[in-house]
Amino acid sequence: MPSRPARCCVRMCGDSDATIDETCAPPDRSSLTLVQSGSYTILIVQGAYGPTGMSQPQTIIDKLWSSHEIVRRHDGESLLWVDRHYVHEGSFHAFAKLDQRGAKVAEPGLTFGVADHYVPTRGSRYDIANSEIARMVRQVESNTKKHDIRLFGLDDPRQGIVHVVGPEQGLSLPGLLIVCGDSHTSTHGALGAYAFGIGASEVAHVLMTQTIWQKKPQRMRITVTGKTAPGISAKDIVLSIISQIGADGATGCAVEFAGSAIRALSMEGRLTLCNMSIEAGARCGLIAPDAAAFAYVKGRPYAPAGAEFDRAVEVWSKLASDENAEFDREVSLDGGQIAPIVTWGISPQDALPIDASAPDPAREPNTERAKYLRDALDYMGIAPGKRLTDIAVDRVFIGSCTNARIEDLRAAAAVLAGRTSKVPGLVSAGSSLVKRQAEQEGLDRIFRDAGLEWGESGCSMCVGINGDLVAPGERCASTTNRNFRGRQGPGARTHLMSPAMVAAAAVAGHLADVRKLLGSRTV
Amino acid sequence: MEKFTTLTGPACPINQSNVNTDQILPARYLKWTRGMGLGKVLFHDLRFRAAEDENPDFPLNKPAWRDAKILVAARNFGCGSSREAAVYALCDYGIRCVIAPSFGDIFAGNAVQNGLLTAAVTDDEAAEIIVLLTQMPTLHVRVDLEHQDIVCGDRTYRFTVDPVRRARLLNGWDDIDLTESYRAQIAAFRVKDREERAWATPAAGG
Ligand code: SF4
């Protein structure tokens, strides 16, 4: 039962007449009694609203926190129970720590492995040419096998990027606490889970104990009001947010995304949004689970089924933040004002609407900021003040845990259908199942006919460690999440944008406003 | 874990905000095991222009700062990827403290696990220390975790660090040993939780 305070539940009308304010009355009117006392009318609230239930209204973060708290130390750190732990090739440091201690994995049944960061997207997947890369893939196979952990490996039709596979398999659910040795674990918060990335020492700790020490994060709510315009995606929303609050705008915070523009997003869009909350420094991103989330989860392989699912929905329905819950920080944006957005610099916060021009350091009064702008523009090879739509691209990449779900591929394909790409490019689906579905829908043909390469699923050119690199100095329009120096390869220049905008850049050969290419098409 | 009490040594200014872990340790070195000496490739693409061609402009390549024990940077140091190997690279190079106005969350957590202190000062203080060091590169900086202060020339600055992390660094505590002492509580939670949240266990069918 949601605990809501009796705050402003009584409206005083003269000295005898009181009405219950409908906007904040608890749902169960039978728990309320009005008593007359002198000239005051007193509202007596029972049950969850009564003396024992007069607890503070809670945010979704508070609720998830308390349902996972095993112990709270006097110094303020809590030991939390972990419901799902995902490991990948990069988790080898943690397995080495286990071996050093001769320790076992505490809960192999709650631990799942994937091969994603190093897997090839072209050529043979099994006979990997580069021996170092092959070793990384073999290593996650042997580590998971040794510890009896289920692996979605190269030979598994469910293989894919960990943050796509988790939700897709119904492993990531509302109400869970999910960790993975990867910062984009924030993705899974889209379902209403408390999900965050951890480092190798913590991975080892979770493997050994299925718990993690955490200090309760600050609670922040980012509300996006109104309705976004046609052609505007979750990527545009999140890049707008980051450009406004900065790459450290949410540091130390658990961020709940709320508001009508967020509610209107599909689950794919919500996953994109929460995925990039880490790019504003957030500990995690969260969206209150609703009917869309429950429908998404239902019927997935590892999700609860039948009566168990119904029981779960009952619990999940109560996760949303209580009406008067307080947040430590609040930010609000008008969704109607959001335009298609691209990054021009070397941090996701360096984002501007597509019809803008690159900044000009000469016009920047703050010298530190001017120096930053000069460095960023210099690395990116962009003249100060250049119109963004005049920036020619050398290649495109559609992929990554941010934007390679089926809806993303559909959006890109809708723009590319019947057109050709002026530049080479690679499309790598977020999972092998997404890839298969896209092929069933004929999307692969559209990409191929446009001249793009249709690869296998993996992290691929998002981080380049499987060998899919952007060459030094080359400029890539990319659906990924980080435009850091050298992220897609040493010297590579990355512009982040939505899948539809990447498709538009491919068609135009330069950064372009997808809205001008849409006509009757919808993305 | 090695205890941290005080540290005195050369301090290298990195006058940049949002220094991300991709910069601290480029992704292609993530395959390396700890024993391979990640310090060699710390800040690789900023420190080197080509394979072995040092970039003379990068502060760590200046004679006074080659053996830095401390880094001083602008806000949001260590943002981005969760790679703990970025911390390994700093530690292997010999860095035991980073002073900055703020840090990436996951980075700061990884740092404490490896005995690396993340000392937070204000934006203005970080900028001031960077100026002092640029003017006097050979200045040795003293960081005292017990008293939470930084002595830089004739200036002393207070710094903040999460009290839990401070205690862990001062005592050299290991997380896992600590957690082991709560074994009974964990077991009890597990039993109760399995009953109350049966739906949270992955469906067997999968
Ligand atoms: S796709 Fe990119 S951001 Fe996502 S998990 Fe892989 S490397 Fe990390």
Side-chain angles (χ1 to χ4, degrees):
Chain A
M1 174 137 207
S3 48
R4 205 159 25 172
R7 188 182 84 100
C8 74
C9 276
V10 176
R11 201 184 280 150
M12 302 304 296
C13 301
D15 62 357
S16 62
D17 205 1
T19 57
I20 295 170
D21 186 330
E22 291 297 340
T23 58
C24 55
D28 182 9
R29 302 278 288 260
S30 63
S31 64
L32 303 178
T33 323
L34 285 172
V35 178
Q36 197 70 36
S37 169
S39 60
Y40 290 98
T41 304
I42 300 167
L43 176 74
I44 297 180
V45 195
Q46 286 161 352
Y49 297 88
T52 51
M54 292 300 275
S55 55
Q56 287 285 317
Q58 291 188 311
T59 69
I60 181 169
I61 300 141
D62 301 308
K63 295 179 191 185
L64 287 166
W65 185 270
S66 58
S67 63
H68 289 85
E69 192 173 50
I70 302 166
V71 287
R72 187 182 313 166
R73 271 199 329 240
H74 61 88
D75 60 17
E77 284 224 339
S78 295
L79 188 64
L80 304 178
W81 178 255
V82 173
D83 293 310
R84 298 287 184 276
H85 183 198
Y86 304 134
V87 295
H88 53 86
E89 298 99 311
S91 309
F92 71 95
H93 288 294
F95 282 106
K97 281 179 202 274
L98 244 69
D99 288 346
Q100 267 168 27
R101 287 189 171 236
K104 288 205 313 205
V105 173
E107 300 280 351
L110 302 178
T111 314
F112 294 83
V114 291
D116 56 1
H117 282 71
Y118 288 86
V119 300
T121 53
R122 14 192 180 193
S124 169
R125 299 262 271 179
Y126 305 105
D127 191 11
I128 303 173
N130 181 316
S131 62
E132 279 195 306
I133 291 175
R135 183 176 57 82
M136 292 304 289
V137 177
R138 298 289 97 84
Q139 193 166 241
V140 70
E141 288 168 354
S142 57
N143 278 331
T144 48
K145 184 153 184 241
K146 177 173 171 190
H147 291 281
D148 221 6
I149 295 166
R150 169 149 305 181
L151 172 74
F152 302 109
L154 272 183
D155 53 353
D156 195 308
R158 299 164 296 182
Q159 177 273 339
I161 306 171
V162 59
H163 310 308
V164 177
V165 173
E168 188 171 78
Q169 287 301 315
L171 284 165
S172 302
L173 301 171
L176 297 188
L177 191 148
I178 302 169
V179 298
C180 170
D182 188 280
S183 59
H184 290 100
T185 309
S186 58
T187 311
H188 310 259
L191 290 153
Y194 187 29
F196 51 94
I198 56 178
S201 297
E202 289 173 317
V203 169
H205 185 277
V206 178
L207 287 173
M208 287 187 241
T209 67
Q210 200 60 25
T211 63
I212 187 156
W213 288 104
Q214 287 281 294
K215 191 168 191 171
K216 197 166 176 188
Q218 292 238 307
R219 299 156 306 177
M220 177 171 183
R221 179 162 58 190
I222 299 180
T223 307
V224 187
T225 58
K227 194 167 177 284
T228 52
I232 300 301
S233 71
K235 186 66 156 286
D236 300 302
I237 297 177
V238 74
L239 283 174
S240 298
I241 293 171
I242 300 165
S243 70
Q244 289 187 32
I245 68 173
D248 59 355
T251 299
C253 297
V255 175
E256 177 178 353
F257 295 99
S260 52
I262 305 296
R263 286 271 143 248
L265 288 174
S266 66
M267 288 313 293
E268 279 90 347
R270 296 179 191 185
L271 289 158
T272 301
L273 186 75
C274 290
N275 173 278
M276 288 203 58
S277 52
I278 178 71
E279 305 313 331
R283 173 88 57 85
C284 70
L286 278 159
I287 297 174
D290 58 6
F294 308 150
Y296 176 90
V297 166
K298 194 171 185 176
R300 293 192 180 264
Y302 287 93
E308 204 58 72
F309 179 80
D310 297 338
R311 260 195 296 277
V313 168
E314 222 174 280
V315 176
W316 298 342
S317 305
K318 293 172 189 153
L319 282 171
S321 294
D322 298 333
E323 209 163 311
N324 298 308
E326 274 183 31
F327 287 81
D328 301 300
R329 292 176 61 195
E330 295 253 20
V331 171
S332 183
L333 259 80
D334 178 357
Q337 297 297 317
I338 296 173
I341 193 164
V342 295
T343 61
W344 57 266
I346 51 170
S347 160
Q349 72 182 10
D350 300 337
L352 285 168
I354 183 65
D355 51 13
S357 298
D360 183 352
R363 289 162 178 256
E364 173 57 55
N366 179 320
T367 50
E368 281 300 311
R369 172 86 186 142
K371 176 178 167 287
Y372 172 79
L373 296 180
R374 250 190 313 275
D375 283 355
L377 289 169
D378 182 50
Y379 179 81
M380 292 299 290
I382 297 171
K386 186 168 185 164
R387 278 174 43 170
L388 295 179
T389 48
D390 287 343
I391 296 173
V393 299
D394 301 308
R395 67 172 54 247
V396 297
F397 175 63
I398 298 170
S400 88
C401 59
T402 307
N403 273 134
R405 297 178 184 81
I406 190 69
E407 189 182 88
D408 301 316
L409 301 186
R410 285 183 194 137
V415 176
L416 280 164
R419 293 172 167 151
T420 32
S421 173
K422 288 212 169 78
V423 294
L426 172 64
V427 185
S428 173
S431 73
S432 298
L433 287 179
V434 169
K435 178 170 187 269
R436 205 169 67 196
Q437 187 179 350
E439 286 165 356
Q440 278 160 3
E441 295 181 16
L443 306 182
D444 60 321
R445 282 252 59 88
I446 295 175
F447 292 124
R448 284 201 172 107
D449 290 349
L452 301 180
E453 204 175 337
W454 178 246
E456 299 290 338
S457 172
C459 292
S460 183
M461 212 174 269
C462 171
V463 67
I465 51 182
N466 74 332
D468 294 344
L469 290 166
V470 175
E474 247 188 16
R475 185 181 305 288
C476 182
S478 179
T479 65
T480 55
N481 43 51
R482 289 189 172 137
N483 52 338
F484 297 162
R485 284 168 195 264
R487 170 73 180 187
Q488 294 188 288
R493 294 163 170 161
T494 303
H495 293 271
L496 305 176
M497 63 200 81
S498 74
M501 285 287 284
V502 167
V507 170
H510 52 80
L511 302 183
D513 189 339
V514 67
R515 292 172 298 190
K516 303 205 167 113
L517 289 169
L518 283 180
S520 60
R521 303 173 190 224
T522 50
V523 294
Chain B
M1 194 181 85
E2 214 180 315
K3 290 184 187 178
F4 191 114
T5 46
T6 61
L7 171 71
T8 306
C12 174
I14 308 268
N15 193 12
Q16 283 178 36
S17 54
N18 301 318
V19 172
N20 60 63
T21 51
D22 272 82
Q23 255 58 77
I24 300 171
L25 184 71
R28 58 189 183 280
Y29 302 114
L30 294 178
K31 295 191 282 290
W32 287 23
T33 56
R34 187 81 198 255
M36 289 167 79
L38 287 160
K40 290 196 288 263
V41 289
L42 172 72
F43 287 117
H44 186 280
D45 296 349
L46 298 172
R47 254 168 83 201
F48 301 96
R49 288 183 294 209
E52 297 304 322
D53 177 20
E54 271 190 12
N55 171 6
D57 295 333
F58 191 68
L60 267 188
N61 290 333
K62 310 244 181 207
W65 295 322
R66 291 190 97 86
D67 299 319
K69 287 191 164 65
I70 300 163
L71 292 184
V72 190
R75 60 199 276 186
N76 205 22
F77 185 91
C79 62
S81 156
S82 61
R83 60 189 70 167
E84 191 163 313
V87 173
Y88 302 158
L90 286 165
C91 293
D92 289 354
Y93 187 91
I95 308 289
R96 291 220 50 211
C97 171
V98 183
I99 301 168
S102 60
F103 300 90
D105 233 12
I106 307 176
F107 174 84
N110 291 339
V112 70
Q113 302 276 357
N114 294 279
L116 177 78
L117 169 65
T118 52
V121 294
T122 65
D123 284 292
D124 289 345
E125 288 166 341
E128 202 175 297
I129 300 172
I130 288 171
V131 169
L132 278 174
L133 291 170
T134 312
Q135 289 165 351
M136 291 178 282
T138 52
L139 203 63
H140 277 207
V141 169
R142 183 171 193 274
V143 180
D144 184 332
L145 180 56
E146 187 89 54
H147 297 100
Q148 285 184 237
D149 58 26
I150 297 163
V151 180
C152 184
D154 54 4
R155 304 293 314 267
T156 301
Y157 304 89
R158 295 280 303 159
F159 68 85
T160 55
V161 57
D162 178 274
V164 178
R165 290 185 175 150
R166 175 172 172 272
R168 286 191 47 193
L169 287 166
L170 285 172
N171 297 299
W173 279 332
D174 180 288
D175 243 4
I176 292 167
D177 293 338
L178 190 71
T179 308
E180 289 295 332
S181 65
Y182 292 98
R183 189 174 273 281
Q185 285 97 323
I186 297 170
F189 180 94
R190 184 184 188 274
V191 171
K192 190 167 138 280
D193 186 60
R194 289 245 150 158
E195 202 172 295
E196 285 172 3
R197 295 190 310 143
W199 54 266
T201 303

